[in-house]
Amino acid sequence: MHDDDTPFRTPVPTFDRPTLLSSCAQATTAEEARFRVQYPNAAPRSSRIVALDDGAARMMDDIIAEPRPAAHFLKVAPRQPDISPNEVVLLRLDGDEALLSTELAGADVVVLIATSAQGRRAAEIIGRVARAASVTTAGLIVTADAADDVVRMMRPVTGVLVVSPDADHLAAMLSALRA
Amino acid sequence: MHDDDTPFRTPVPTFDRPTLLSSCAQATTAEEARFRVQYPNAAPRSSRIVALDDGAARMMDDIIAEPRPAAHFLKVAPRQPDISPNEVVLLRLDGDEALLSTELAGADVVVLIATSAQGRRAAEIIGRVARAASVTTAGLIVTADAADDVVRMMRPVTGVLVVSPDADHLAAMLSALRA
Amino acid sequence: MLTKEVNDLLTQTTPGTPMGSMFRKYWIPALLASELPANDSAPVRVKLLGERLVAFRDSEGRYGLIDEFCAHRGVSLWFGRNEEGGLRCPYHGWKYDHTGQCIDVPSEAAESGFCQKIKLTGYPLVKIGDILWTHMGDKAERPPLPVWEFCTVPEEQTFTSKRWQECNWLQAMEGGIDSSHVSFLHSGSLKTDPLFRGAAGNKYNQQDRKPVFEVVDAPGGLFIGARRNAEDGQYYWRITPWVMPSFTMVPPRGDHPMHGHFWIPIDDENCWAWSFDYHPTRALSAEERQSMIDGYGVHNQYVPGTFRPLQNKDNDYLMDREAQRRGETYSGVWGIAMQDASLQESMGPIVDRTKENLVSTDNGIIMARNRLRRAVQALVKSGATPPGIDPAHQKVRSVAAVLPADAPFVEACREDLTVRPGVKQTSV
Amino acid sequence: MLTKEVNDLLTQTTPGTPMGSMFRKYWIPALLASELPANDSAPVRVKLLGERLVAFRDSEGRYGLIDEFCAHRGVSLWFGRNEEGGLRCPYHGWKYDHTGQCIDVPSEAAESGFCQKIKLTGYPLVKIGDILWTHMGDKAERPPLPVWEFCTVPEEQTFTSKRWQECNWLQAMEGGIDSSHVSFLHSGSLKTDPLFRGAAGNKYNQQDRKPVFEVVDAPGGLFIGARRNAEDGQYYWRITPWVMPSFTMVPPRGDHPMHGHFWIPIDDENCWAWSFDYHPTRALSAEERQSMIDGYGVHNQYVPGTFRPLQNKDNDYLMDREAQRRGETYSGVWGIAMQDASLQESMGPIVDRTKENLVSTDNGIIMARNRLRRAVQALVKSGATPPGIDPAHQKVRSVAAVLPADAPFVEACREDLTVRPGVKQTSV
């Protein structure tokens, strides 16, 4: 089927439309804008930020000065004991170990950070398990290079991907998403 | 004659009326409202507030904390020497005696306060003399009961009558009337 | 006059204001049921008490009154698609049910449950009579549903309209309890309006243009009696009930339908004047209903397709100086409703009551303001339930009657001032 | 969401504001060349970045963009007489040349040299393509003239329009980089708009309504890729370039002309939405040009004699609920341009971004805001030249392409995303 199989119909705008009291003319003044959304209309979100490699872990350390109570900052542990094909061992900020399966329970979004393809295996597991659990994933690749291999690693495991040479997008993204 | 003897005529509103610059549309904006009445447009009023009975006198004492320079607060004196059928002896706040005839001279409004029918005779004289002198009278009956007898006493001698169980209407009325 | 503080207290009803909190204790009219005529019909923008809302009727017929703006990026949901059990924002497809709960965020996996975290403010909408009523306050303190007689009689006995009035609710409402202007402003209309003329009582109005007022406190508000001289030393009384915060009824004339108003804040500078006509015991005649549709009585004509009066401030209310000169209308403006509205709008968006000069015949207004002030302050101080919420307060009628000279009017008309199902109004 | 501080930083562009200083670093579109059609034609009022200006074309054909108000008594020079090499105030005859220099004060002796002491602000106006461009910043730091492809191709290959949009520039611009709304808001238009329909790529849009986004930093701004499933495990990519501060291009469809936008602040609550259509290698057909004039594609119809859209907030954008129900338009509003503008205006004059709830598909917008914030702060801190001024940054094109599953789209389309004179666009 082609789109232009649909017969083309021109709507005819006319002038005989009244201005309703409820019209947008009333809807978009600066005065009334003050009264919009007077209450919290979204529950707090719970996010997991996972540094997949050493460069990503350093970046993460740089931004966690700002307190983000609803976010867990995690790093892929250097040693991965062979627990299960669906498990990754992570390290909390305080150095304690945490399991991927535990962290995913109750998470709304997982943000994966990569500066290289070093974390390929962990990325693959996190992406697969998060998808099975219907947890949204976002990826941030911070690299000045072309980064083909990192894109290839991250694309299948994330729902949206951001590529930038600048580390400060991480803080901007977390803040924008209320993470 | 019946009202509906008048032939019925339907005015025909039309759309061909221009909006003049001087139209009400310009006359009723919030911005221009600031510029209304920039000067005192009414001379001070002089009022006499008369408590007709003991309950009314106690009520009056409660509200005169607020200074009202244009108001004279008066109570009907317990002893009424037989001076004239058109005279009532009143007591000022400081306890001095004052005559109704003196107080009515220069008064704009007389507010009579009653909580019972105790002051019937004084009310009758004040109402009659005030009407003869073209001084407006208002009555306030403060009572939780049906108060038939108080209404019967006050109605013939006042131009407007307020009946309420709450004493605080007195202050509201005096303030509203700039008394 | 009022101090600036009290004027602000009584006129401001946006969220967080004391009077706004008080209005949010009541069931108030939100829109005409005819504005949402069918399941999945077009959503309607509603602004009440300064809040921007959108009303819709979903595929199952459930009414919703929710925040107008999508939680995602703030787009107006008036542009939304009302279909398949909810209102969907046309920008990125977020969808809300009739309670304001987000039920779909297409960019997120349905299983993620993300949408459950998003909830817009939602208020109930309940159809009683011709009106969809809402309660914008705390759900836990929702009062009983309204029982006003005009909206609980059979539908053939009642008619409701609403019009946009371009001023603060309080000065509009004050017109409803101000009987002393009838002999002036509306004097022409008593002769010509099909919903007024012919009543025996009209002659008292016209013979005695200086009524005397009595204002009597009532549990739900006030009764305002205006008496005029009648035959044999008796008085012709016209009794207006006012129930807090803003319900008023006009005293009846003959067997004409009874009418009254609700005055509901849109925001601080606009209000809805709701106007109803009903007869307690009989159907409205076809002629009466047509007169109401045509804008007679307390109703009005409209700019087509809107609730804005045909006569409005942009066309000087179609003022006719010749009709004014001939005495057909006292102010030159046609119709009871617009005679009132034109003058009230001319007072400014929020009249500055520090500058007014009241006289003693204004005592009905003075008392009403004081009742409102007391109720608001009691609510703020101790959470006291304001008058008018108790269904017993709502079961009132207006009265027109000839009474003996010394009869206290409230006592003499105790039963007549109360709703009595199956008994017609007391009228002259 | 953004903090209030950052929202203010990005949305305010009047003189002295940080973002206002940044906009004043660029050449920006000021008016259509057709608005000043001839020497000594009528002057035109222009408001840009909160500054009130008047544009005119003098007797020698020199363009001037100067302060709107006469230095003498503040009269608007829009009332002026454009004659004999300058614009003369009609009040007392003061006259200004195209640079804003006062060249005559009739009340003073010419010999006094008084007029030389009077100088209004004046900005350059340069015609490139259909547009008169201006630079409102420091003359000493004037950058190279703009080299955007749409205004440097031969005139028969290009068409430009502008429309007034009644909201802040940033929320309008954000619509231009928000690819995720296309499958919803514009879904009807893909079927019916003569400037879109028939492209092979349209089917991917309609088959896969959940695109996946990748956002890639570029020297001048961003590339935003939206991928949808195509045949044989490949992806259909639509790539939107954004060049700072506010240039966006829509990915092409088939051999239809390419289009895009500039979003230029009028003041903080209004902006110009500039819309262009061009083909890199062929003349626009008569039918295409007529469709653009008729308001199809990214263009729109006007209230006659103005640049205000025929569909505007005062008439609810001529919303057609029946067309919405039939699915011809998703929101009931006709035309791509007004579909966007209606929703963006409904968000309020300056949307309060502290209250929004972004999701991860909004990352294009998140990144763009962060780039703007960084550039403004770098400008304030160290005077750093913002991205988008370098002519190399301006030589971009949008792309629509089917690529292998694992290809990074910017690398795979490096050449296609760059202006190549004589080579047509890469499109599906």
Side-chain angles (χ1 to χ4, degrees):
Chain A
M1 188 203 109
H2 260 281
D3 302 309
D4 49 0
D5 293 346
T6 312
F8 179 67
R9 217 177 315 180
T10 312
V12 183
T14 57
F15 277 110
D16 64 354
R17 294 282 299 268
T19 301
L20 305 177
L21 169 60
S22 61
S23 285
C24 280
Q26 306 285 330
T28 56
T29 63
E31 303 85 76
E32 70 76 35
R34 286 186 301 126
F35 294 107
R36 297 186 180 194
V37 195
Q38 301 271 330
Y39 57 93
N41 59 8
R45 302 186 209 175
S46 190
S47 45
R48 308 288 177 261
I49 298 93
V50 182
L52 291 172
D53 55 57
D54 301 338
R58 279 191 298 276
M59 250 181 64
M60 200 163 79
D61 289 336
D62 289 345
I63 69 141
I64 53 183
E66 204 179 332
R68 300 190 177 279
H72 293 190
F73 290 91
L74 303 159
K75 301 171 187 179
V76 174
R79 255 195 65 250
Q80 291 291 332
D82 193 9
I83 306 169
S84 142
N86 294 328
E87 198 58 277
V88 177
V89 179
L90 304 164
L91 295 180
R92 297 218 178 91
L93 286 182
D94 57 13
D96 284 0
E97 290 194 348
L99 289 179
L100 172 65
S101 52
T102 316
E103 288 294 332
L104 275 186
D108 294 303
V109 64
V110 174
V111 179
L112 299 176
I113 315 164
T115 64
S116 73
Q118 179 194 337
R120 179 179 307 277
R121 207 187 112 70
E124 186 274 322
I125 297 171
I126 296 171
R128 177 159 43 77
V129 176
R131 188 179 311 112
S134 294
V135 175
T136 300
T137 51
L140 176 61
I141 300 175
V142 184
T143 164
D145 310 340
D148 287 22
D149 55 340
V150 195
V151 169
R152 249 175 247 124
M153 168 183 95
M154 293 284 269
R155 184 177 286 165
V157 302
T158 52
V160 62
L161 195 53
V162 173
V163 184
S164 169
D166 293 298
D168 74 351
H169 278 312
L170 176 57
M173 190 199 302
L174 295 179
S175 166
L177 296 176
R178 300 179 185 276
Chain B
M1 188 202 105
H2 261 280
D3 303 309
D4 50 0
D5 292 345
T6 315
F8 180 67
R9 217 179 314 182
T10 312
V12 183
T14 56
F15 278 108
D16 64 355
R17 295 279 300 267
T19 301
L20 306 176
L21 175 59
S22 61
S23 287
C24 281
Q26 306 287 328
T28 56
T29 63
E31 302 85 76
E32 71 74 36
R34 286 185 300 124
F35 296 105
R36 298 185 181 195
V37 194
Q38 300 274 325
Y39 54 92
N41 60 5
R45 301 188 209 175
S46 188
S47 46
R48 307 291 175 257
I49 298 91
V50 182
L52 291 173
D53 54 57
D54 300 339
R58 278 191 299 275
M59 251 182 63
M60 201 162 80
D61 288 339
D62 288 345
I63 69 142
I64 54 184
E66 203 179 330
R68 300 189 177 277
H72 293 190
F73 289 91
L74 304 158
K75 301 171 187 178
V76 173
R79 257 193 66 251
Q80 293 289 333
D82 193 8
I83 305 170
S84 140
N86 294 330
E87 196 60 276
V88 177
V89 178
L90 304 165
L91 297 179
R92 295 218 179 91
L93 286 181
D94 55 12
D96 285 1
E97 289 193 350
L99 291 179
L100 172 65
S101 53
T102 317
E103 286 295 332
L104 274 185
D108 294 303
V109 64
V110 173
V111 179
L112 297 177
I113 314 166
T115 64
S116 73
Q118 180 194 339
R120 180 180 306 278
R121 208 188 111 68
E124 187 273 323
I125 298 172
I126 296 171
R128 176 160 42 77
V129 176
R131 189 180 311 115
S134 294
V135 175
T136 299
T137 53
L140 176 61
I141 300 176
V142 183
T143 165
D145 311 339
D148 287 23
D149 56 338
V150 194
V151 169
R152 250 175 245 126
M153 167 183 97
M154 293 284 270
R155 184 177 284 165
V157 302
T158 52
V160 63
L161 193 54
V162 172
V163 183
S164 171
D166 292 299
D168 74 350
H169 279 313
L170 176 58
M173 191 200 302
L174 296 178
S175 166
L177 295 175
R178 301 179 186 277
Chain C
M1 74 114 180
L2 287 180
T3 61
K4 181 177 185 315
E5 291 66 36
V6 178
N7 199 33
D8 289 349
L9 183 77
L10 300 188
T11 54
Q12 296 174 358
T13 62
T14 53
T17 59
M19 183 57 85
S21 303
M22 189 161 113
F23 261 101
R24 285 167 176 79
K25 293 285 173 188
Y26 297 87
W27 284 96
I28 58 175
L31 61 171
L32 284 166
S34 58
E35 293 180 75
L36 295 177
N39 296 353
D40 286 339
S41 57
V44 174
R45 290 191 198 91
V46 175
K47 191 176 187 186
L48 285 176
L49 309 180
E51 294 185 47
R52 294 292 308 270
L53 305 164
V54 64
F56 66 105
R57 181 167 162 184
D58 77 6
S59 314
E60 283 86 57
R62 295 173 299 190
Y63 291 108
L65 181 64
I66 67 173
D67 203 357
E68 183 183 334
F69 303 103
C70 179
H72 178 212
R73 301 278 306 282
V75 155
S76 171
L77 293 172
W78 180 82
F79 292 95
R81 301 179 64 90
N82 184 15
E83 59 190 15
E84 294 166 8
L87 189 59
R88 191 184 284 282
C89 179
Y91 208 3
H92 303 85
W94 292 31
K95 185 170 181 174
Y96 302 89
D97 75 8
H98 69 293
T99 70
Q101 177 61 51
C102 185
I103 53 175
D104 189 19
V105 173
S107 67
E108 307 292 307
E111 301 77 15
S112 72
F114 174 79
C115 66
Q116 288 155 22
K117 300 211 161 196
I118 304 289
K119 169 89 168 70
L120 298 178
T121 292
Y123 300 122
L125 267 190
V126 179
K127 182 178 182 309
I128 300 174
D130 296 335
I131 294 178
L132 299 177
W133 302 77
T134 191
H135 175 257
M136 294 168 64
D138 187 347
K139 192 175 178 176
E141 298 177 6
R142 198 149 284 165
L145 290 170
V147 296
W148 308 100
E149 188 174 30
F150 82 92
C151 61
T152 51
V153 295
E155 65 177 333
E156 64 273 17
Q157 294 174 215
T158 190
F159 176 87
T160 308
S161 70
K162 72 173 189 179
R163 67 178 159 77
W164 174 22
Q165 184 161 336
E166 299 177 59
C167 69
N168 183 265
W169 77 280
L170 184 61
Q171 72 211 58
M173 193 275 279
E174 289 176 351
I177 54 178
D178 171 18
S179 303
S180 73
H181 72 283
V182 176
S183 301
F184 292 93
L185 184 60
H186 305 316
S187 56
S189 305
L190 290 180
K191 293 186 206 160
T192 55
D193 195 300
L195 292 169
F196 294 104
R197 62 196 163 124
N202 292 358
K203 67 179 173 208
Y204 304 121
N205 277 78
Q206 281 154 2
Q207 285 165 10
D208 182 356
R209 312 239 308 187
K210 277 210 164 178
V212 177
F213 294 95
E214 294 188 12
V215 186
V216 179
D217 245 329
L222 296 174
F223 290 114
I224 297 155
R227 70 165 204 256
R228 290 173 173 80
N229 293 315
E231 299 83 357
D232 309 323
Q234 298 189 101
Y235 289 130
Y236 168 65
W237 284 92
R238 295 181 59 73
I239 309 173
T240 298
W242 168 66
V243 182
M244 289 175 64
S246 65
F247 172 91
T248 61
M249 270 187 80
V250 179
R253 293 193 183 274
D255 195 47
H256 286 306
M258 309 175 72
H259 38 258
H261 303 281
F262 262 107
W263 317 89
I264 302 296
I266 295 172
D267 54 29
D268 290 349
E269 300 189 357
N270 296 276
C271 68
W272 286 119
W274 288 87
S275 300
F276 58 82
D277 251 297
Y278 76 103
H279 197 289
T281 58
R282 67 162 171 84
L284 304 180
S285 72
E287 293 74 22
E288 283 170 343
R289 193 172 289 276
Q290 192 59 49
S291 287
M292 294 165 193
I293 293 168
D294 290 345
Y296 289 98
V298 293
H299 307 283
N300 62 283
Q301 297 182 289
Y302 297 99
V303 174
T306 77
F307 292 106
R308 192 178 200 208
L310 177 61
Q311 306 157 263
N312 57 56
K313 70 177 185 175
D314 288 335
N315 59 22
D316 279 338
Y317 309 94
L318 303 170
M319 136 92 69
D320 183 345
R321 294 267 178 214
E322 285 308 311
Q324 185 187 50
R325 214 179 306 272
R326 288 192 304 266
E328 286 166 33
T329 57
Y330 191 77
S331 73
V333 172
W334 179 74
I336 305 272
M338 295 316 300
Q339 284 162 4
D340 281 325
S342 58
L343 300 191
Q344 289 157 9
E345 292 180 0
S346 81
M347 293 156 76
I350 306 175
V351 70
D352 181 354
R353 291 179 178 77
T354 68
K355 292 175 177 172
E356 66 189 0
N357 289 290
L358 298 187
V359 292
S360 56
T361 46
D362 295 315
N363 254 303
I365 289 166
I366 293 169
M367 293 275 285
R369 292 177 186 172
N370 198 44
R371 287 294 298 271
L372 288 169
R373 179 190 60 75
R374 275 201 300 162
V376 171
Q377 288 174 340
L379 175 66
V380 169
K381 197 174 161 195
S382 65
T385 299
I389 286 176
D390 183 342
H393 296 174
Q394 300 174 6
K395 293 181 173 167
V396 294
R397 284 184 183 170
S398 58
V399 164
V402 174
L403 301 176
D406 63 356
F409 72 89
V410 173
E411 283 68 30
C413 298
R414 180 70 66 191
E415 289 206 313
D416 314 272
L417 289 167
T418 308
V419 169
R420 289 174 296 168
V423 179
K424 64 178 282 190
Q425 69 270 36
T426 303
S427 180
V428 178
Chain D
M1 72 115 180
L2 287 181
T3 61
K4 181 178 185 312
E5 292 66 37
V6 177
N7 199 33
D8 289 349
L9 183 78
L10 300 188
T11 54
Q12 298 173 357
T13 62
T14 53
T17 59
M19 184 57 86
S21 303
M22 190 163 114
F23 261 101
R24 286 168 174 78
K25 293 285 173 188
Y26 297 87
W27 284 96
I28 58 175
L31 60 171
L32 284 167
S34 58
E35 293 180 74
L36 295 176
N39 296 353
D40 286 339
S41 58
V44 174
R45 286 193 200 88
V46 175
K47 191 177 187 186
L48 285 176
L49 309 178
E51 295 185 47
R52 295 281 305 265
L53 306 165
V54 63
F56 66 105
R57 182 166 160 183
D58 77 5
S59 314
E60 284 85 55
R62 295 174 300 190
Y63 292 109
L65 181 65
I66 68 174
D67 207 358
E68 183 183 334
F69 303 103
C70 178
H72 177 211
R73 301 280 303 283
V75 156
S76 171
L77 293 171
W78 180 81
F79 293 96
R81 302 179 61 89
N82 184 15
E83 60 190 13
E84 294 167 5
L87 189 59
R88 189 184 288 279
C89 178
Y91 206 7
H92 304 86
W94 293 31
K95 185 170 182 175
Y96 302 89
D97 76 7
H98 70 292
T99 69
Q101 177 61 51
C102 183
I103 54 176
D104 189 18
V105 174
S107 66
E108 306 292 308
E111 304 74 18
S112 73
F114 174 78
C115 69
Q116 288 154 27
K117 304 198 168 196
I118 305 291
K119 169 90 168 70
L120 297 178
T121 293
Y123 300 123
L125 267 190
V126 179
K127 182 178 182 308
I128 300 173
D130 294 336
I131 293 177
L132 299 177
W133 302 77
T134 191
H135 175 260
M136 294 168 63
D138 187 347
K139 192 174 176 176
E141 296 177 7
R142 197 148 284 165
L145 288 170
V147 297
W148 309 99
E149 188 175 29
F150 81 93
C151 61
T152 51
V153 294
E155 63 177 335
E156 64 274 15
Q157 294 174 214
T158 191
F159 176 87
T160 307
S161 70
K162 73 172 187 180
R163 67 178 159 79
W164 175 24
Q165 183 161 337
E166 298 177 58
C167 70
N168 182 264
W169 76 280
L170 184 61
Q171 74 211 57
M173 192 275 278
E174 288 176 352
I177 54 178
D178 171 19
S179 303
S180 72
H181 72 281
V182 175
S183 302
F184 291 92
L185 184 60
H186 304 315
S187 55
S189 306
L190 291 180
K191 293 185 204 161
T192 55
D193 196 299
L195 293 168
F196 293 103
R197 65 196 161 120
N202 293 357
K203 66 179 175 209
Y204 304 121
N205 277 77
Q206 281 153 1
Q207 285 165 6
D208 183 355
R209 311 236 311 186
K210 277 206 164 180
V212 177
F213 294 94
E214 294 188 12
V215 187
V216 179
D217 246 330
L222 296 173
F223 290 113
I224 298 156
R227 70 164 203 257
R228 290 173 173 80
N229 293 315
E231 299 82 356
D232 308 324
Q234 298 189 104
Y235 290 130
Y236 168 65
W237 285 92
R238 295 182 58 72
I239 309 173
T240 298
W242 168 66
V243 182
M244 289 175 64
S246 65
F247 172 90
T248 62
M249 269 186 82
V250 179
R253 293 195 182 273
D255 194 47
H256 286 306
M258 309 176 72
H259 38 259
H261 303 281
F262 263 107
W263 318 88
I264 301 296
I266 295 173
D267 53 30
D268 289 348
E269 299 188 0
N270 297 275
C271 69
W272 286 119
W274 288 86
S275 301
F276 58 83
D277 251 297
Y278 75 102
H279 198 288
T281 58
R282 66 163 171 84
L284 304 181
S285 72
E287 293 73 22
E288 284 169 342
R289 192 172 290 274
Q290 192 59 47
S291 288
M292 295 164 192
I293 292 168
D294 290 345
Y296 288 98
V298 293
H299 307 283
N300 63 283
Q301 296 183 289
Y302 297 98
V303 174
T306 77
F307 290 105
R308 191 179 200 207
L310 176 60
Q311 306 156 264
N312 57 56
K313 69 177 185 175
D314 287 336
N315 58 23
D316 276 338
Y317 309 93
L318 303 170
M319 135 94 69
D320 182 346
R321 293 267 178 211
E322 285 308 311
Q324 186 189 50
R325 214 180 303 274
R326 288 192 303 265
E328 284 167 34
T329 57
Y330 192 77
S331 73
V333 173
W334 178 73
I336 306 271
M338 295 315 300
Q339 284 161 3
D340 282 325
S342 59
L343 299 191
Q344 290 157 7
E345 291 181 1
S346 84
M347 293 156 77
I350 306 176
V351 71
D352 181 352
R353 291 179 178 78
T354 67
K355 293 175 176 172
E356 65 190 1
N357 288 290
L358 298 187
V359 291
S360 56
T361 46
D362 294 315
N363 255 303
I365 289 167
I366 294 169
M367 293 276 286
R369 294 176 184 172
N370 198 43
R371 288 294 299 271
L372 288 169
R373 180 190 59 76
R374 277 200 300 164
V376 171
Q377 289 175 340
L379 175 66
V380 170
K381 196 174 162 194
S382 64
T385 298
I389 287 176
D390 182 343
H393 296 175
Q394 301 173 5
K395 292 182 176 169
V396 294
R397 284 183 183 171
S398 56
V399 164
V402 174
L403 301 177
D406 64 354
F409 71 88
V410 173
E411 282 68 29
C413 298
R414 179 71 64 192
E415 289 206 313
D416 314 272
L417 288 167
T418 308
V419 169
R420 290 173 295 168
V423 179
K424 65 180 280 189
Q425 69 271 36
T426 303
S427 181
V428 179

